[in-house]
Amino acid sequence: MPFTSKPFHLTALCLAACCLAGVSATTFAADEAEAKPDDARALAGVETGKVAWDINMGDPKKLTLYLKVMDETYEDLKRQGVEPEMVFTFRGPSLPLISTDHTDVPLDQEAHYKAIAEQIKALQAKPNVHMEACSVAARLFKIDSGTLLPGIDFVGNTFVSQIGYQSKGYAMIPIF
């Protein structure tokens, strides 16, 4: 049966050529990562990348994706010689996603909650990463502070935290 899709056909040819040349998929992936564009213009003269993530998202599937992108951002800064300093401030509907109480979680979403917990743990293991949860949101969403994932500090108000971090030079990036 002939190939009808040129992109698929080209991809198949490239993979076949790599196999014939003895190049492994791992090498191909590493070369692709090395080929990632840099951010030299934006990062010129920057030694520390300070970001305060303002996380106000209640969709577990989306948060799983965004946490991966935030981790990639951390690694991209490191790759380009900039020391990341990241603060994750969880507020609003994100609080149920960072709780260990999954009593009301639909069965089809449990895997996303587990992935969120694993990603948070991996991010917390990196230097210069701090996480906070808002007590105002906890009160509004009826989240017991004792059920927060380990390593997430309970603070009075993450709006106040954002004011403080921005006053200290952190860039605020909203995640909605």
PDB file of all heavy atoms in Angstrom, residues 51-86:
ATOM      1  N   VAL A  51      10.873  33.725  38.839  1.00  0.00           N
ATOM      2  CA  VAL A  51       9.481  33.672  38.403  1.00  0.00           C
ATOM      3  C   VAL A  51       8.586  33.225  39.550  1.00  0.00           C
ATOM      4  O   VAL A  51       8.944  32.328  40.313  1.00  0.00           O
ATOM      5  CB  VAL A  51       9.290  32.757  37.166  1.00  0.00           C
ATOM      6  CG1 VAL A  51       9.707  31.330  37.453  1.00  0.00           C
ATOM      7  CG2 VAL A  51       7.863  32.795  36.655  1.00  0.00           C
ATOM      8  N   ALA A  52       7.453  33.914  39.656  1.00  0.00           N
ATOM      9  CA  ALA A  52       6.412  33.531  40.606  1.00  0.00           C
ATOM     10  C   ALA A  52       5.212  33.087  39.775  1.00  0.00           C
ATOM     11  O   ALA A  52       4.553  33.917  39.132  1.00  0.00           O
ATOM     12  CB  ALA A  52       6.049  34.694  41.517  1.00  0.00           C
ATOM     13  N   TRP A  53       4.986  31.794  39.726  1.00  0.00           N
ATOM     14  CA  TRP A  53       3.856  31.235  38.986  1.00  0.00           C
ATOM     15  C   TRP A  53       2.592  31.461  39.789  1.00  0.00           C
ATOM     16  O   TRP A  53       2.502  31.032  40.942  1.00  0.00           O
ATOM     17  CB  TRP A  53       4.049  29.740  38.751  1.00  0.00           C
ATOM     18  CG  TRP A  53       5.307  29.363  38.030  1.00  0.00           C
ATOM     19  CD1 TRP A  53       6.469  28.893  38.593  1.00  0.00           C
ATOM     20  CD2 TRP A  53       5.548  29.401  36.621  1.00  0.00           C
ATOM     21  NE1 TRP A  53       7.392  28.641  37.609  1.00  0.00           N
ATOM     22  CE2 TRP A  53       6.866  28.938  36.379  1.00  0.00           C
ATOM     23  CE3 TRP A  53       4.767  29.772  35.520  1.00  0.00           C
ATOM     24  CZ2 TRP A  53       7.415  28.837  35.118  1.00  0.00           C
ATOM     25  CZ3 TRP A  53       5.315  29.671  34.245  1.00  0.00           C
ATOM     26  CH2 TRP A  53       6.633  29.213  34.063  1.00  0.00           C
ATOM     27  N   ASP A  54       1.612  32.136  39.220  1.00  0.00           N
ATOM     28  CA  ASP A  54       0.325  32.398  39.867  1.00  0.00           C
ATOM     29  C   ASP A  54      -0.662  31.365  39.341  1.00  0.00           C
ATOM     30  O   ASP A  54      -1.267  31.532  38.288  1.00  0.00           O
ATOM     31  CB  ASP A  54      -0.133  33.823  39.525  1.00  0.00           C
ATOM     32  CG  ASP A  54      -1.493  34.162  40.101  1.00  0.00           C
ATOM     33  OD1 ASP A  54      -1.911  33.523  41.095  1.00  0.00           O
ATOM     34  OD2 ASP A  54      -2.158  35.058  39.539  1.00  0.00           O
ATOM     35  N   ILE A  55      -0.818  30.274  40.077  1.00  0.00           N
ATOM     36  CA  ILE A  55      -1.580  29.120  39.591  1.00  0.00           C
ATOM     37  C   ILE A  55      -3.010  29.180  40.125  1.00  0.00           C
ATOM     38  O   ILE A  55      -3.241  29.047  41.327  1.00  0.00           O
ATOM     39  CB  ILE A  55      -0.885  27.803  39.984  1.00  0.00           C
ATOM     40  CG1 ILE A  55       0.549  27.818  39.445  1.00  0.00           C
ATOM     41  CG2 ILE A  55      -1.674  26.605  39.461  1.00  0.00           C
ATOM     42  CD1 ILE A  55       1.435  26.757  40.007  1.00  0.00           C
ATOM     43  N   ASN A  56      -3.944  29.385  39.195  1.00  0.00           N
ATOM     44  CA  ASN A  56      -5.350  29.541  39.529  1.00  0.00           C
ATOM     45  C   ASN A  56      -6.172  28.695  38.554  1.00  0.00           C
ATOM     46  O   ASN A  56      -7.004  29.202  37.825  1.00  0.00           O
ATOM     47  CB  ASN A  56      -5.730  31.025  39.426  1.00  0.00           C
ATOM     48  CG  ASN A  56      -7.151  31.301  39.860  1.00  0.00           C
ATOM     49  OD1 ASN A  56      -7.722  30.583  40.674  1.00  0.00           O
ATOM     50  ND2 ASN A  56      -7.741  32.344  39.304  1.00  0.00           N
ATOM     51  N   MET A  57      -5.880  27.405  38.515  1.00  0.00           N
ATOM     52  CA  MET A  57      -6.474  26.507  37.532  1.00  0.00           C
ATOM     53  C   MET A  57      -7.084  25.306  38.230  1.00  0.00           C
ATOM     54  O   MET A  57      -6.450  24.693  39.084  1.00  0.00           O
ATOM     55  CB  MET A  57      -5.370  26.041  36.575  1.00  0.00           C
ATOM     56  CG  MET A  57      -5.800  24.995  35.594  1.00  0.00           C
ATOM     57  SD  MET A  57      -4.429  24.432  34.591  1.00  0.00           S
ATOM     58  CE  MET A  57      -4.093  25.897  33.647  1.00  0.00           C
ATOM     59  N   GLY A  58      -8.304  24.959  37.850  1.00  0.00           N
ATOM     60  CA  GLY A  58      -8.978  23.832  38.481  1.00  0.00           C
ATOM     61  C   GLY A  58      -9.077  22.584  37.629  1.00  0.00           C
ATOM     62  O   GLY A  58      -9.700  21.621  38.046  1.00  0.00           O
ATOM     63  N   ASP A  59      -8.457  22.584  36.467  1.00  0.00           N
ATOM     64  CA  ASP A  59      -8.525  21.438  35.564  1.00  0.00           C
ATOM     65  C   ASP A  59      -7.288  20.563  35.763  1.00  0.00           C
ATOM     66  O   ASP A  59      -6.175  20.976  35.424  1.00  0.00           O
ATOM     67  CB  ASP A  59      -8.596  21.933  34.118  1.00  0.00           C
ATOM     68  CG  ASP A  59      -8.735  20.822  33.097  1.00  0.00           C
ATOM     69  OD1 ASP A  59      -8.211  19.705  33.323  1.00  0.00           O
ATOM     70  OD2 ASP A  59      -9.358  21.077  32.050  1.00  0.00           O
ATOM     71  N   PRO A  60      -7.447  19.354  36.312  1.00  0.00           N
ATOM     72  CA  PRO A  60      -6.276  18.525  36.612  1.00  0.00           C
ATOM     73  C   PRO A  60      -5.473  18.131  35.362  1.00  0.00           C
ATOM     74  O   PRO A  60      -4.250  18.058  35.411  1.00  0.00           O
ATOM     75  CB  PRO A  60      -6.848  17.300  37.317  1.00  0.00           C
ATOM     76  CG  PRO A  60      -8.285  17.271  36.960  1.00  0.00           C
ATOM     77  CD  PRO A  60      -8.696  18.687  36.679  1.00  0.00           C
ATOM     78  N   LYS A  61      -6.145  17.905  34.259  1.00  0.00           N
ATOM     79  CA  LYS A  61      -5.441  17.529  33.025  1.00  0.00           C
ATOM     80  C   LYS A  61      -4.584  18.691  32.532  1.00  0.00           C
ATOM     81  O   LYS A  61      -3.422  18.505  32.160  1.00  0.00           O
ATOM     82  CB  LYS A  61      -6.457  17.108  31.956  1.00  0.00           C
ATOM     83  CG  LYS A  61      -5.825  16.579  30.690  1.00  0.00           C
ATOM     84  CD  LYS A  61      -6.883  16.080  29.720  1.00  0.00           C
ATOM     85  CE  LYS A  61      -6.245  15.540  28.457  1.00  0.00           C
ATOM     86  NZ  LYS A  61      -7.252  15.062  27.513  1.00  0.00           N
ATOM     87  N   LYS A  62      -5.131  19.906  32.562  1.00  0.00           N
ATOM     88  CA  LYS A  62      -4.372  21.083  32.129  1.00  0.00           C
ATOM     89  C   LYS A  62      -3.206  21.362  33.078  1.00  0.00           C
ATOM     90  O   LYS A  62      -2.118  21.709  32.643  1.00  0.00           O
ATOM     91  CB  LYS A  62      -5.276  22.314  32.056  1.00  0.00           C
ATOM     92  CG  LYS A  62      -6.140  22.381  30.847  1.00  0.00           C
ATOM     93  CD  LYS A  62      -6.898  23.700  30.827  1.00  0.00           C
ATOM     94  CE  LYS A  62      -7.782  23.838  29.627  1.00  0.00           C
ATOM     95  NZ  LYS A  62      -8.523  25.122  29.651  1.00  0.00           N
ATOM     96  N   LEU A  63      -3.450  21.231  34.392  1.00  0.00           N
ATOM     97  CA  LEU A  63      -2.366  21.505  35.340  1.00  0.00           C
ATOM     98  C   LEU A  63      -1.228  20.510  35.151  1.00  0.00           C
ATOM     99  O   LEU A  63      -0.054  20.883  35.255  1.00  0.00           O
ATOM    100  CB  LEU A  63      -2.864  21.488  36.787  1.00  0.00           C
ATOM    101  CG  LEU A  63      -1.812  21.884  37.821  1.00  0.00           C
ATOM    102  CD1 LEU A  63      -1.207  23.262  37.536  1.00  0.00           C
ATOM    103  CD2 LEU A  63      -2.400  21.852  39.226  1.00  0.00           C
ATOM    104  N   THR A  64      -1.560  19.264  34.849  1.00  0.00           N
ATOM    105  CA  THR A  64      -0.527  18.262  34.574  1.00  0.00           C
ATOM    106  C   THR A  64       0.366  18.736  33.432  1.00  0.00           C
ATOM    107  O   THR A  64       1.596  18.690  33.524  1.00  0.00           O
ATOM    108  CB  THR A  64      -1.175  16.904  34.219  1.00  0.00           C
ATOM    109  OG1 THR A  64      -2.002  16.483  35.304  1.00  0.00           O
ATOM    110  CG2 THR A  64      -0.133  15.849  33.959  1.00  0.00           C
ATOM    111  N   LEU A  65      -0.236  19.231  32.365  1.00  0.00           N
ATOM    112  CA  LEU A  65       0.523  19.747  31.228  1.00  0.00           C
ATOM    113  C   LEU A  65       1.343  20.974  31.611  1.00  0.00           C
ATOM    114  O   LEU A  65       2.538  21.052  31.314  1.00  0.00           O
ATOM    115  CB  LEU A  65      -0.425  20.090  30.069  1.00  0.00           C
ATOM    116  CG  LEU A  65       0.217  20.832  28.897  1.00  0.00           C
ATOM    117  CD1 LEU A  65       1.254  19.957  28.195  1.00  0.00           C
ATOM    118  CD2 LEU A  65      -0.846  21.298  27.924  1.00  0.00           C
ATOM    119  N   TYR A  66       0.719  21.931  32.287  1.00  0.00           N
ATOM    120  CA  TYR A  66       1.425  23.155  32.652  1.00  0.00           C
ATOM    121  C   TYR A  66       2.603  22.886  33.579  1.00  0.00           C
ATOM    122  O   TYR A  66       3.649  23.528  33.461  1.00  0.00           O
ATOM    123  CB  TYR A  66       0.468  24.171  33.273  1.00  0.00           C
ATOM    124  CG  TYR A  66      -0.213  25.035  32.228  1.00  0.00           C
ATOM    125  CD1 TYR A  66      -1.472  24.706  31.744  1.00  0.00           C
ATOM    126  CD2 TYR A  66       0.416  26.165  31.725  1.00  0.00           C
ATOM    127  CE1 TYR A  66      -2.087  25.486  30.788  1.00  0.00           C
ATOM    128  CE2 TYR A  66      -0.194  26.950  30.770  1.00  0.00           C
ATOM    129  CZ  TYR A  66      -1.453  26.615  30.304  1.00  0.00           C
ATOM    130  OH  TYR A  66      -2.053  27.388  29.343  1.00  0.00           O
ATOM    131  N   LEU A  67       2.459  21.955  34.508  1.00  0.00           N
ATOM    132  CA  LEU A  67       3.586  21.630  35.392  1.00  0.00           C
ATOM    133  C   LEU A  67       4.765  21.094  34.589  1.00  0.00           C
ATOM    134  O   LEU A  67       5.919  21.379  34.893  1.00  0.00           O
ATOM    135  CB  LEU A  67       3.155  20.643  36.476  1.00  0.00           C
ATOM    136  CG  LEU A  67       2.280  21.226  37.583  1.00  0.00           C
ATOM    137  CD1 LEU A  67       1.684  20.114  38.445  1.00  0.00           C
ATOM    138  CD2 LEU A  67       3.045  22.225  38.440  1.00  0.00           C
ATOM    139  N   LYS A  68       4.479  20.322  33.542  1.00  0.00           N
ATOM    140  CA  LYS A  68       5.554  19.834  32.662  1.00  0.00           C
ATOM    141  C   LYS A  68       6.241  20.998  31.957  1.00  0.00           C
ATOM    142  O   LYS A  68       7.472  21.036  31.843  1.00  0.00           O
ATOM    143  CB  LYS A  68       4.994  18.847  31.636  1.00  0.00           C
ATOM    144  CG  LYS A  68       4.582  17.514  32.219  1.00  0.00           C
ATOM    145  CD  LYS A  68       3.987  16.605  31.158  1.00  0.00           C
ATOM    146  CE  LYS A  68       3.487  15.307  31.773  1.00  0.00           C
ATOM    147  NZ  LYS A  68       2.848  14.438  30.787  1.00  0.00           N
ATOM    148  N   VAL A  69       5.453  21.960  31.502  1.00  0.00           N
ATOM    149  CA  VAL A  69       6.021  23.128  30.820  1.00  0.00           C
ATOM    150  C   VAL A  69       6.832  23.984  31.801  1.00  0.00           C
ATOM    151  O   VAL A  69       7.898  24.502  31.455  1.00  0.00           O
ATOM    152  CB  VAL A  69       4.921  23.956  30.131  1.00  0.00           C
ATOM    153  CG1 VAL A  69       5.484  25.246  29.544  1.00  0.00           C
ATOM    154  CG2 VAL A  69       4.237  23.130  29.040  1.00  0.00           C
ATOM    155  N   MET A  70       6.366  24.108  33.026  1.00  0.00           N
ATOM    156  CA  MET A  70       7.107  24.860  34.041  1.00  0.00           C
ATOM    157  C   MET A  70       8.443  24.183  34.345  1.00  0.00           C
ATOM    158  O   MET A  70       9.464  24.851  34.500  1.00  0.00           O
ATOM    159  CB  MET A  70       6.268  25.010  35.306  1.00  0.00           C
ATOM    160  CG  MET A  70       5.076  25.915  35.130  1.00  0.00           C
ATOM    161  SD  MET A  70       4.099  25.997  36.659  1.00  0.00           S
ATOM    162  CE  MET A  70       2.468  25.800  36.002  1.00  0.00           C
ATOM    163  N   ASP A  71       8.439  22.852  34.399  1.00  0.00           N
ATOM    164  CA  ASP A  71       9.679  22.107  34.593  1.00  0.00           C
ATOM    165  C   ASP A  71      10.610  22.326  33.397  1.00  0.00           C
ATOM    166  O   ASP A  71      11.817  22.531  33.572  1.00  0.00           O
ATOM    167  CB  ASP A  71       9.379  20.619  34.773  1.00  0.00           C
ATOM    168  CG  ASP A  71      10.632  19.816  35.040  1.00  0.00           C
ATOM    169  OD1 ASP A  71      11.322  20.084  36.031  1.00  0.00           O
ATOM    170  OD2 ASP A  71      10.930  18.920  34.223  1.00  0.00           O
ATOM    171  N   GLU A  72      10.070  22.313  32.200  1.00  0.00           N
ATOM    172  CA  GLU A  72      10.880  22.558  31.006  1.00  0.00           C
ATOM    173  C   GLU A  72      11.455  23.974  31.033  1.00  0.00           C
ATOM    174  O   GLU A  72      12.607  24.198  30.637  1.00  0.00           O
ATOM    175  CB  GLU A  72      10.050  22.355  29.739  1.00  0.00           C
ATOM    176  CG  GLU A  72      10.866  22.493  28.468  1.00  0.00           C
ATOM    177  CD  GLU A  72      10.098  22.126  27.218  1.00  0.00           C
ATOM    178  OE1 GLU A  72       9.035  21.477  27.296  1.00  0.00           O
ATOM    179  OE2 GLU A  72      10.582  22.488  26.132  1.00  0.00           O
ATOM    180  N   THR A  73      10.680  24.932  31.536  1.00  0.00           N
ATOM    181  CA  THR A  73      11.165  26.307  31.667  1.00  0.00           C
ATOM    182  C   THR A  73      12.354  26.357  32.617  1.00  0.00           C
ATOM    183  O   THR A  73      13.360  27.020  32.340  1.00  0.00           O
ATOM    184  CB  THR A  73      10.024  27.221  32.163  1.00  0.00           C
ATOM    185  OG1 THR A  73       8.937  27.143  31.245  1.00  0.00           O
ATOM    186  CG2 THR A  73      10.494  28.660  32.312  1.00  0.00           C
ATOM    187  N   TYR A  74      12.256  25.648  33.727  1.00  0.00           N
ATOM    188  CA  TYR A  74      13.367  25.566  34.686  1.00  0.00           C
ATOM    189  C   TYR A  74      14.618  25.031  33.974  1.00  0.00           C
ATOM    190  O   TYR A  74      15.698  25.615  34.066  1.00  0.00           O
ATOM    191  CB  TYR A  74      12.964  24.654  35.852  1.00  0.00           C
ATOM    192  CG  TYR A  74      13.994  24.553  36.946  1.00  0.00           C
ATOM    193  CD1 TYR A  74      13.868  25.315  38.102  1.00  0.00           C
ATOM    194  CD2 TYR A  74      15.097  23.691  36.849  1.00  0.00           C
ATOM    195  CE1 TYR A  74      14.798  25.219  39.125  1.00  0.00           C
ATOM    196  CE2 TYR A  74      16.030  23.596  37.859  1.00  0.00           C
ATOM    197  CZ  TYR A  74      15.878  24.367  38.999  1.00  0.00           C
ATOM    198  OH  TYR A  74      16.814  24.278  40.006  1.00  0.00           O
ATOM    199  N   GLU A  75      14.449  23.922  33.269  1.00  0.00           N
ATOM    200  CA  GLU A  75      15.584  23.292  32.583  1.00  0.00           C
ATOM    201  C   GLU A  75      16.126  24.162  31.448  1.00  0.00           C
ATOM    202  O   GLU A  75      17.337  24.188  31.212  1.00  0.00           O
ATOM    203  CB  GLU A  75      15.198  21.906  32.074  1.00  0.00           C
ATOM    204  CG  GLU A  75      14.885  20.905  33.182  1.00  0.00           C
ATOM    205  CD  GLU A  75      16.027  20.711  34.177  1.00  0.00           C
ATOM    206  OE1 GLU A  75      17.207  20.742  33.766  1.00  0.00           O
ATOM    207  OE2 GLU A  75      15.737  20.531  35.378  1.00  0.00           O
ATOM    208  N   ASP A  76      15.250  24.877  30.755  1.00  0.00           N
ATOM    209  CA  ASP A  76      15.698  25.779  29.689  1.00  0.00           C
ATOM    210  C   ASP A  76      16.545  26.914  30.252  1.00  0.00           C
ATOM    211  O   ASP A  76      17.544  27.313  29.645  1.00  0.00           O
ATOM    212  CB  ASP A  76      14.512  26.354  28.915  1.00  0.00           C
ATOM    213  CG  ASP A  76      13.916  25.370  27.923  1.00  0.00           C
ATOM    214  OD1 ASP A  76      14.564  24.344  27.611  1.00  0.00           O
ATOM    215  OD2 ASP A  76      12.791  25.623  27.450  1.00  0.00           O
ATOM    216  N   LEU A  77      16.154  27.444  31.402  1.00  0.00           N
ATOM    217  CA  LEU A  77      16.968  28.486  32.038  1.00  0.00           C
ATOM    218  C   LEU A  77      18.348  27.928  32.386  1.00  0.00           C
ATOM    219  O   LEU A  77      19.372  28.548  32.070  1.00  0.00           O
ATOM    220  CB  LEU A  77      16.267  29.030  33.289  1.00  0.00           C
ATOM    221  CG  LEU A  77      15.056  29.924  33.044  1.00  0.00           C
ATOM    222  CD1 LEU A  77      14.283  30.147  34.339  1.00  0.00           C
ATOM    223  CD2 LEU A  77      15.477  31.255  32.433  1.00  0.00           C
ATOM    224  N   LYS A  78      18.365  26.758  33.031  1.00  0.00           N
ATOM    225  CA  LYS A  78      19.650  26.127  33.399  1.00  0.00           C
ATOM    226  C   LYS A  78      20.518  25.895  32.162  1.00  0.00           C
ATOM    227  O   LYS A  78      21.715  26.189  32.175  1.00  0.00           O
ATOM    228  CB  LYS A  78      19.403  24.785  34.110  1.00  0.00           C
ATOM    229  CG  LYS A  78      18.760  24.854  35.461  1.00  0.00           C
ATOM    230  CD  LYS A  78      19.650  25.369  36.532  1.00  0.00           C
ATOM    231  CE  LYS A  78      20.638  24.329  36.982  1.00  0.00           C
ATOM    232  NZ  LYS A  78      21.486  24.818  38.060  1.00  0.00           N
ATOM    233  N   ARG A  79      19.916  25.359  31.111  1.00  0.00           N
ATOM    234  CA  ARG A  79      20.638  25.058  29.871  1.00  0.00           C
ATOM    235  C   ARG A  79      21.302  26.305  29.291  1.00  0.00           C
ATOM    236  O   ARG A  79      22.355  26.228  28.664  1.00  0.00           O
ATOM    237  CB  ARG A  79      19.648  24.451  28.859  1.00  0.00           C
ATOM    238  CG  ARG A  79      20.205  24.185  27.469  1.00  0.00           C
ATOM    239  CD  ARG A  79      19.171  23.547  26.550  1.00  0.00           C
ATOM    240  NE  ARG A  79      17.940  24.284  26.383  1.00  0.00           N
ATOM    241  CZ  ARG A  79      17.758  25.279  25.513  1.00  0.00           C
ATOM    242  NH1 ARG A  79      18.735  25.659  24.728  1.00  0.00           N
ATOM    243  NH2 ARG A  79      16.594  25.893  25.427  1.00  0.00           N
ATOM    244  N   GLN A  80      20.705  27.463  29.544  1.00  0.00           N
ATOM    245  CA  GLN A  80      21.211  28.698  28.969  1.00  0.00           C
ATOM    246  C   GLN A  80      22.012  29.533  29.969  1.00  0.00           C
ATOM    247  O   GLN A  80      22.256  30.712  29.766  1.00  0.00           O
ATOM    248  CB  GLN A  80      20.038  29.498  28.388  1.00  0.00           C
ATOM    249  CG  GLN A  80      19.386  28.741  27.228  1.00  0.00           C
ATOM    250  CD  GLN A  80      18.181  29.448  26.679  1.00  0.00           C
ATOM    251  OE1 GLN A  80      18.329  30.365  25.876  1.00  0.00           O
ATOM    252  NE2 GLN A  80      16.996  29.028  27.105  1.00  0.00           N
ATOM    253  N   GLY A  81      22.427  28.888  31.067  1.00  0.00           N
ATOM    254  CA  GLY A  81      23.316  29.539  32.018  1.00  0.00           C
ATOM    255  C   GLY A  81      22.645  30.513  32.972  1.00  0.00           C
ATOM    256  O   GLY A  81      23.318  31.349  33.575  1.00  0.00           O
ATOM    257  N   VAL A  82      21.342  30.408  33.127  1.00  0.00           N
ATOM    258  CA  VAL A  82      20.600  31.274  34.045  1.00  0.00           C
ATOM    259  C   VAL A  82      20.107  30.423  35.208  1.00  0.00           C
ATOM    260  O   VAL A  82      19.513  29.362  35.005  1.00  0.00           O
ATOM    261  CB  VAL A  82      19.402  31.953  33.322  1.00  0.00           C
ATOM    262  CG1 VAL A  82      18.568  32.762  34.298  1.00  0.00           C
ATOM    263  CG2 VAL A  82      19.899  32.826  32.174  1.00  0.00           C
ATOM    264  N   GLU A  83      20.371  30.883  36.424  1.00  0.00           N
ATOM    265  CA  GLU A  83      19.966  30.144  37.620  1.00  0.00           C
ATOM    266  C   GLU A  83      18.489  30.419  37.922  1.00  0.00           C
ATOM    267  O   GLU A  83      18.112  31.554  38.218  1.00  0.00           O
ATOM    268  CB  GLU A  83      20.825  30.552  38.823  1.00  0.00           C
ATOM    269  CG  GLU A  83      20.626  29.693  40.036  1.00  0.00           C
ATOM    270  CD  GLU A  83      20.964  28.221  39.805  1.00  0.00           C
ATOM    271  OE1 GLU A  83      21.908  27.914  39.045  1.00  0.00           O
ATOM    272  OE2 GLU A  83      20.291  27.368  40.404  1.00  0.00           O
ATOM    273  N   PRO A  84      17.626  29.389  37.837  1.00  0.00           N
ATOM    274  CA  PRO A  84      16.201  29.610  38.104  1.00  0.00           C
ATOM    275  C   PRO A  84      15.914  29.768  39.594  1.00  0.00           C
ATOM    276  O   PRO A  84      16.525  29.102  40.429  1.00  0.00           O
ATOM    277  CB  PRO A  84      15.522  28.343  37.582  1.00  0.00           C
ATOM    278  CG  PRO A  84      16.574  27.449  37.075  1.00  0.00           C
ATOM    279  CD  PRO A  84      17.903  28.030  37.395  1.00  0.00           C
ATOM    280  N   GLU A  85      15.005  30.674  39.898  1.00  0.00           N
ATOM    281  CA  GLU A  85      14.418  30.812  41.232  1.00  0.00           C
ATOM    282  C   GLU A  85      12.928  30.854  40.997  1.00  0.00           C
ATOM    283  O   GLU A  85      12.413  31.823  40.438  1.00  0.00           O
ATOM    284  CB  GLU A  85      14.893  32.086  41.930  1.00  0.00           C
ATOM    285  CG  GLU A  85      16.305  32.013  42.437  1.00  0.00           C
ATOM    286  CD  GLU A  85      16.694  33.227  43.276  1.00  0.00           C
ATOM    287  OE1 GLU A  85      15.797  33.927  43.802  1.00  0.00           O
ATOM    288  OE2 GLU A  85      17.890  33.468  43.388  1.00  0.00           O
ATOM    289  N   MET A  86      12.228  29.789  41.393  1.00  0.00           N
ATOM    290  CA  MET A  86      10.803  29.674  41.095  1.00  0.00           C
ATOM    291  C   MET A  86       9.969  29.519  42.357  1.00  0.00           C
ATOM    292  O   MET A  86      10.299  28.732  43.237  1.00  0.00           O
ATOM    293  CB  MET A  86      10.539  28.482  40.177  1.00  0.00           C
ATOM    294  CG  MET A  86      11.129  28.640  38.809  1.00  0.00           C
ATOM    295  SD  MET A  86      10.573  27.297  37.723  1.00  0.00           S
ATOM    296  CE  MET A  86      11.189  27.906  36.155  1.00  0.00           C
TER     297      MET A  86
END
